[in-house]
Amino acid sequence: MTIRNLEHVINPGSVAVIGASDREGSVGRVVIRNIINGGFEGEIWPVNPKHREIAGRRSYANIADTPGVPDLAVIVTSPETVPGIIHELGTKGTRAAVVITAGLNERNGLKQAMLDAARPFLFRIVGPNSVGLLVPRAKLNASFAHMTAKPGGVALLSQSGAVVTSLIDWAADKQIGFSCIASMGDMADVDVADLIDLFAGDADTHAILLYLESIPYPRKFMSAARAAARLKPVVAIKAGIHAEAAKAAATHTGALSGADRVADAALNRAGILRVRGLADLFDATETIARFPPLEQSRVGIVTNGGGAAVLAIDQLIESKGRLAEFSAETIAQLDKVLPPTWSRANPADIIGDASPERYKVAVEAVALDPQVDTLLVMNCPTGLASSAAAATAVASLATRGMIQRKPVLTCWLGEHTARAGRTILGDAGIATFETPADAATAVSYLSDWSRAQNALLRVPSTRSEDISGDRDAVQAIFRAVAADNRRILTEPEAKTVIAAYGIPVPETVVAYSPEEVEAAAQRILSNTGKVAVKLLSRTISHKSDVGGVVLGIETAEAARQAADHIRERLAQMGSADAIDGYSVQPMIERKNAQELILGVSRDPAFGPVVLFGAGGTAVEVVDDTAIALPPLDDVLASDLIDRTRIGRLLAGFRDRKPADRRAINLAINGVSQLIVDFPCIVSMDINPLLADEQGVLALDARIEIDPVDVETPGPNQALAIRPYPESWQAHVPLDGVDYLIRPIKPVDVALHQKFLSRISPEDMRLRFLAPRKNFSGKTLLRLTQLDYDREMAFVALEPNGDLAGIVRLCTDPDHESGEYGILVRSDLQGHGVGWALLQHMIRYATADGLKQVEGLILSENTKMLEMCRELGFVLTAHPTERGLVLATLKLGAVGQGAIDASGEE
């Protein structure tokens, strides 16, 4: 379920409180009095057979006796009574409840009994073990919180009741209002993704705050969060950041992929701003809700005190912010208006006696600098000038919190003297903070959020599905390993797998005795100066730990001796039986290359993740890695690289040329596609992966599989983000032309301008139900970058790659129904392109489990209406919009993924 029946939670016309009481100290007493005292204007029905009257209102003995159907029920009875109460409410006609009662869990069976009672009625449950629900705009406080909340535009969704009550208290002094506050409790039914979906579509909610301790159903969460973050700011605290790492991990990647790092990667991928403390939630929300995302966030500072600016810069750099470099023109302008003792650099220290006029001209000059994206204006109180007057001067320059269309944040230091200045700035709509650290941190919130938002809209040139891997060869290796009852691939097997997906590896010769090692080394040394000899074992994963790697061997005889020494060492350890042979390979000497690690591990919540960073034998000690959720593309791969320290080294320094960035991206995408194609992969290490200006080369590789999943086909259903649905491609011959119909890709944005230029104004009007001349660049980006879990678009491409037509399908959050729209180039109409696209969409919607698809069509669009009739759509006049026809097609329940693009089961 998603948002089905949740409208009763946030907009109830009547509330029944089951377990309401007059007993002092009881939860039922607090809840019923909170609802009454909060001013809820709907019907309020206490239900308790032990009382005739509660809080001055008639009390009903049971739910059946209430004079109407409660839109929302609040349950505060003992745990064993809850399943029966849910059934009674469902029978009465109620469809939602907040279960404050604790003690319904899997151990005592009451949680499942409650859900079983709800299921026949599609009854929605918030909780159990919840503090309750507050909807300030409806004057509803259905909770046992100690105070109510002010109405406003922030939705707070919390997995902790204690955090809810604390934040309500905190917000009161900050004058922050809420559209809704939901204590989600144990999330037996309604979870965080459901509520994110609900408030993403709520016009009264302008920002969403999350307090998360766990993320159930990660794929559902990611889908909801990515959709919401495109519409409004979403800010989250994810608690529990120090979960113990997996000490027995089979790979370095597994040991490095801590739970918190994965959660961080997930929130970043979703476009959510993560903060670390409760106080930061409001500061971050207040900041990012004021401004649109920035392309860059170079900060220009104006201050009357250099020390305060230094403190701000320290925090700014700590938060990975960027200090702008003033242009020569800006410095020249400031030279004209500031005393000769000003700092002549960023920060612009305009001296302690700065007058309001000096503040004004300095801020104006810095705001006009094209190299400044964000302004931070600071004031320290002195006996030489008025802090309030300085605030008035700055406020006079601002429009909606911006100066020259650039965000401005302020810090008026102090308390007694600064209070008036902060009030002036706040009243002018300017964000203001008490300390330099707070102000600089707020700048970092804006830059981090802007970076995440921009990442949602960047167009990749390559995606992991563009990697042409040899799936059959890899499948054969995995089958052989599974048949041998193994989980760990040998090094040669692992290298063959990654090479099949475009990751270069050195020549490797397998030898089964020291004598064969000698012969192999003799041959390899004829073309190279040195060789390496490594242990080949199906049971020993980390070869270096047992002395199983010998490097820099210059003669064939020395190679044989190295193999002998490896054998002797393992015999001494009692592991002689672990030796399956030896691998001999040329010693790769690329002195300017960086050693990288590229790997895969499975997170218990988010499934497969990709890790990248500094490699080598000390990888866990250096701990310079970053994590991303697959599937990836070159934009996401570049972000992954940039989040590591070694990423800066790869850009080149001193005598080292920049590493081949494209080759690194392709290697990352190759690993990403391996995960998509083969659900059996449990973990993977490519370490070291050498990278320099010549490209990349994998010197060692380790892969672990689950033999049980070897025959499970891709795409990998364990991914938190649905991968590109490659199987939904089809070639369709129409009038002698072979069209390719496939799911849309972000790169298709480049095809749209030419495509739209070949649509007549009349066809554009018929498609969009009104005249439309053009689309903004951002709109086109959003139309081509889809979350395939909740929307789909198929394009028809001519043999030359030109776009011939598009059909789009947007599903409702309950995944019951989808609305379609179709547009075919005017010069290609009448050739069957529209028919082919619409039929393809219908097959997909059926396979995806939708019950119906529908579209809105202008009544004069006779061609579209006729096509819909012939395809079996039912056409009816729109109930409220004149001139519109609703076309509806009921679909057969085939089940998700049951048929492919050809229509075959």
Side-chain angles (χ1 to χ4, degrees):
M1 286 190 178
T2 51
I3 64 171
R4 181 77 61 83
N5 288 330
L6 288 184
E7 68 274 11
H8 301 298
V9 172
I10 61 171
N11 192 29
S14 56
V15 178
V17 183
I18 297 89
S21 176
D22 268 331
R23 181 169 58 85
E24 192 72 35
S26 67
V27 175
R29 183 177 190 272
V30 176
V31 171
I32 189 68
R33 289 180 181 274
N34 274 350
I35 294 174
I36 294 169
N37 295 339
F40 180 65
E41 295 174 353
E43 295 288 341
I44 304 171
W45 298 317
V47 178
N48 190 326
K50 297 178 182 179
H51 298 268
R52 291 186 177 182
E53 184 179 286
I54 295 175
R57 294 172 181 264
R58 177 185 171 183
S59 176
Y60 298 90
N62 53 59
I63 294 157
D65 290 345
T66 58
V69 176
D71 288 335
L72 177 68
V74 183
I75 301 175
V76 287
T77 61
S78 58
E80 68 277 4
T81 66
V82 173
I85 290 170
I86 295 293
H87 180 77
E88 290 180 47
L89 286 165
T91 302
K92 179 78 171 180
T94 302
R95 291 297 178 261
V98 177
V99 180
I100 291 176
T101 305
L104 291 95
N105 52 53
E106 294 176 356
R107 292 190 305 277
N108 59 26
L110 292 175
K111 173 183 173 182
Q112 190 57 51
M114 175 184 69
L115 294 175
D116 290 343
R119 186 171 294 108
F121 307 104
L122 296 177
F123 191 102
R124 306 311 306 276
I125 297 169
V126 177
N129 192 22
S130 166
V131 163
L133 176 83
L134 293 88
V135 188
R137 66 190 179 197
K139 300 180 182 177
L140 176 64
N141 179 3
S143 78
F144 61 90
H146 63 297
M147 60 189 297
T148 192
K150 174 184 172 183
V154 175
L156 171 62
L157 315 178
S158 174
Q159 291 176 350
S160 165
V163 168
V164 163
T165 54
S166 300
L167 288 177
I168 291 172
D169 202 295
W170 216 326
D173 278 350
K174 290 179 172 285
Q175 297 300 305
I176 293 173
F178 297 90
S179 58
C180 180
I181 301 172
S183 168
M184 296 180 286
D186 295 339
M187 298 188 296
D189 170 31
V190 176
D191 63 22
V192 62
D194 297 332
L195 292 175
I196 289 173
D197 263 330
L198 180 68
F199 291 107
D202 179 39
D204 292 328
T205 296
H206 307 306
I208 300 172
L209 305 188
L210 307 174
Y211 175 83
L212 305 172
E213 293 175 350
S214 65
I215 300 176
Y217 313 112
R219 191 159 174 172
K220 177 183 173 187
F221 171 83
M222 290 297 293
S223 181
R226 292 170 76 200
R230 289 176 180 268
L231 300 174
K232 55 192 67 172
V234 183
V235 182
I237 289 179
K238 172 62 177 70
I241 65 174
H242 294 300
E244 188 173 339
K247 294 179 181 178
T251 63
H252 292 300
T253 301
L256 291 164
S257 303
D260 187 60
R261 297 188 186 194
V262 176
D264 208 46
L267 296 174
N268 182 68
R269 181 72 178 268
I272 294 174
L273 175 63
R274 183 183 186 183
V275 297
R276 300 289 174 174
L278 292 177
D280 300 329
L281 268 179
F282 293 133
D283 285 346
T285 305
E286 186 179 15
T287 301
I288 67 176
R290 291 173 182 266
F291 310 115
L294 304 173
E295 291 298 323
Q296 298 187 75
S297 52
R298 298 163 297 181
V299 182
I301 301 176
V302 177
T303 179
N304 69 340
V310 171
L311 291 173
I313 292 169
D314 281 345
Q315 183 60 46
L316 184 69
I317 301 305
E318 183 73 20
S319 304
K320 298 181 180 179
R322 292 179 61 191
L323 196 64
E325 184 174 340
F326 289 159
S327 68
E329 291 79 8
T330 297
I331 291 176
Q333 178 61 28
L334 290 171
D335 278 339
K336 295 177 183 178
V337 297
L338 297 180
T341 52
W342 83 279
S343 60
R344 302 199 77 251
N346 187 15
D349 183 352
I350 61 176
I351 314 304
D353 64 348
S355 65
E357 184 58 33
R358 192 186 300 171
Y359 259 101
K360 188 171 183 178
V361 294
V363 170
E364 280 182 314
V366 172
L368 287 168
D369 192 320
Q371 296 175 187
V372 172
D373 307 298
T374 304
L375 287 89
L376 174 56
V377 184
M378 308 179 72
N379 177 269
C380 302
T382 73
L384 302 173
S386 165
S387 292
T392 301
V394 173
S396 70
L397 299 172
T399 302
R400 293 196 211 114
M402 294 190 282
I403 298 175
Q404 296 296 329
R405 298 186 177 180
K406 296 177 181 180
V408 56
L409 295 92
T410 60
C411 176
W412 257 232
L413 282 78
E415 186 53 47
H416 178 76
T417 303
R419 193 179 301 127
R422 286 200 287 265
T423 299
I424 292 166
L425 293 165
D427 290 345
I430 297 174
T432 184
F433 302 89
E434 295 182 3
T435 70
D438 288 345
T441 300
V443 172
S444 75
Y445 294 148
L446 182 58
S447 60
D448 290 347
W449 177 67
S450 297
R451 194 179 302 117
Q453 289 293 302
N454 291 332
L456 293 175
L457 296 175
R458 285 179 296 172
V459 181
S461 58
T462 59
R463 298 171 65 87
S464 63
E465 72 267 6
D466 297 326
I467 302 295
S468 55
D470 189 342
R471 298 184 189 182
D472 292 340
V474 173
Q475 184 71 40
I477 292 173
F478 288 160
R479 282 175 176 157
V481 173
D484 202 23
N485 293 317
R486 287 188 286 131
R487 294 179 66 89
I488 305 291
L489 277 65
T490 64
E491 180 187 345
E493 289 170 335
K495 284 181 174 176
T496 302
V497 167
I498 63 175
Y501 274 68
I503 300 172
V505 299
E507 176 190 7
T508 300
V509 178
V510 176
Y512 295 99
S513 68
E515 291 73 26
E516 289 186 20
V517 168
E518 183 175 16
Q522 186 72 46
R523 183 178 65 79
I524 294 173
L525 284 168
S526 64
N527 297 312
T528 190
K530 298 177 184 179
V531 297
V533 175
K534 300 179 182 180
L535 168 68
L536 182 63
S537 174
R538 290 171 292 175
T539 57
I540 296 176
S541 179
H542 297 291
K543 299 181 289 293
S544 297
D545 294 349
V546 297
V549 178
V550 183
L551 306 175
I553 301 170
E554 297 181 348
T555 67
E557 181 181 357
R560 179 181 56 76
Q561 292 172 353
D564 284 331
H565 290 154
I566 291 173
R567 182 176 58 185
E568 290 168 6
R569 273 193 293 272
L570 266 73
Q572 291 169 3
M573 297 169 60
S575 301
D577 292 344
I579 301 175
D580 295 316
Y582 310 88
S583 62
V584 186
Q585 62 189 53
M587 188 70 188
I588 307 299
E589 294 184 344
R590 288 158 66 164
K591 69 173 185 177
N592 288 330
Q594 298 289 347
E595 288 191 338
L596 308 175
I597 182 172
L598 177 57
V600 174
S601 69
R602 279 189 190 175
D603 180 74
F606 286 94
V609 298
V610 175
L611 177 140
F612 171 87
T617 55
V619 59
E620 292 176 38
V621 177
V622 175
D623 194 15
D624 174 26
T625 56
I627 289 172
L629 271 59
L632 301 176
D633 54 40
D634 62 339
V635 167
L636 295 168
S638 287
D639 284 345
L640 185 61
I641 296 168
D642 291 340
R643 284 191 278 123
T644 62
R645 297 188 300 276
I646 202 167
R648 295 193 288 273
L649 297 179
L650 293 170
F653 63 98
R654 293 186 179 175
D655 62 336
R656 293 199 182 189
K657 296 179 180 178
D660 186 340
R661 185 81 166 215
R662 183 174 181 275
I664 301 172
N665 283 347
L666 287 174
I668 294 172
N669 280 346
V671 167
S672 172
Q673 191 58 31
L674 266 168
I675 303 169
V676 173
D677 290 345
F678 295 99
C680 65
I681 295 176
V682 174
S683 63
M684 179 190 308
D685 269 357
I686 302 172
N687 181 31
L689 176 71
L690 295 186
D692 58 18
E693 73 278 4
Q694 300 175 47
V696 298
L697 189 67
L699 298 191
D700 199 359
R702 184 180 297 110
I703 297 176
E704 179 187 5
I705 65 166
D706 185 345
V708 173
D709 291 330
V710 164
E711 299 302 331
T712 302
N716 194 336
Q717 294 301 308
L719 296 173
I721 298 173
R722 186 175 181 179
Y724 181 76
E726 186 180 20
S727 63
W728 282 92
Q729 297 186 117
H731 286 273
V732 180
L734 299 169
D735 288 350
V737 178
D738 184 39
Y739 290 91
L740 171 63
I741 296 180
R742 62 160 173 79
I744 202 165
K745 296 182 179 184
V747 291
D748 294 333
V749 69
L751 305 176
H752 273 66
Q753 290 295 354
K754 184 177 180 181
F755 170 71
L756 292 171
S757 71
R758 299 159 88 173
I759 307 290
S760 70
E762 178 62 8
D763 284 341
M764 196 77 81
R765 183 185 72 84
L766 292 175
R767 163 62 181 90
F768 295 103
L769 312 182
R772 184 148 192 178
K773 292 183 178 180
N774 50 50
F775 295 82
S776 70
K778 277 195 173 182
T779 298
L780 293 178
L781 286 169
R782 293 187 186 280
L783 290 175
T784 53
Q785 298 190 11
L786 305 188
D787 175 356
Y788 300 115
D789 258 334
R790 60 177 58 208
E791 55 186 329
M792 177 56 74
F794 291 105
V795 295
L797 300 176
E798 292 184 288
N800 65 2
D802 282 354
L803 190 52
I806 306 171
V807 65
R808 189 173 300 276
L809 179 70
C810 296
T811 64
D812 64 3
D814 293 314
H815 212 77
E816 297 274 329
S817 176
E819 182 178 344
Y820 81 91
I822 187 168
L823 184 62
V824 176
R825 247 173 43 202
S826 299
D827 61 310
L828 292 177
Q829 292 181 13
H831 295 275
V833 175
W835 271 83
L837 281 169
L838 198 51
Q839 288 176 313
H840 198 79
M841 182 273 293
I842 291 169
R843 285 195 292 270
Y844 173 82
T846 303
D848 204 38
L850 294 182
K851 294 181 179 178
Q852 70 175 31
V853 293
E854 58 186 27
L856 293 174
I857 306 171
L858 287 172
S859 56
E860 64 262 39
N861 193 348
T862 55
K863 289 190 291 185
M864 178 58 68
L865 292 171
E866 182 58 31
M867 183 167 69
C868 287
R869 283 193 193 94
E870 294 189 29
L871 285 170
F873 283 79
V874 174
L875 305 179
T876 56
H878 194 281
T880 59
E881 298 289 336
R882 292 184 61 185
L884 283 183
V885 174
L886 184 63
T888 305
L889 179 67
K890 300 292 183 182
L891 303 175
V894 176
Q896 187 168 353
I899 60 176
D900 61 18
S902 66
E904 297 178 355
E905 298 198 22

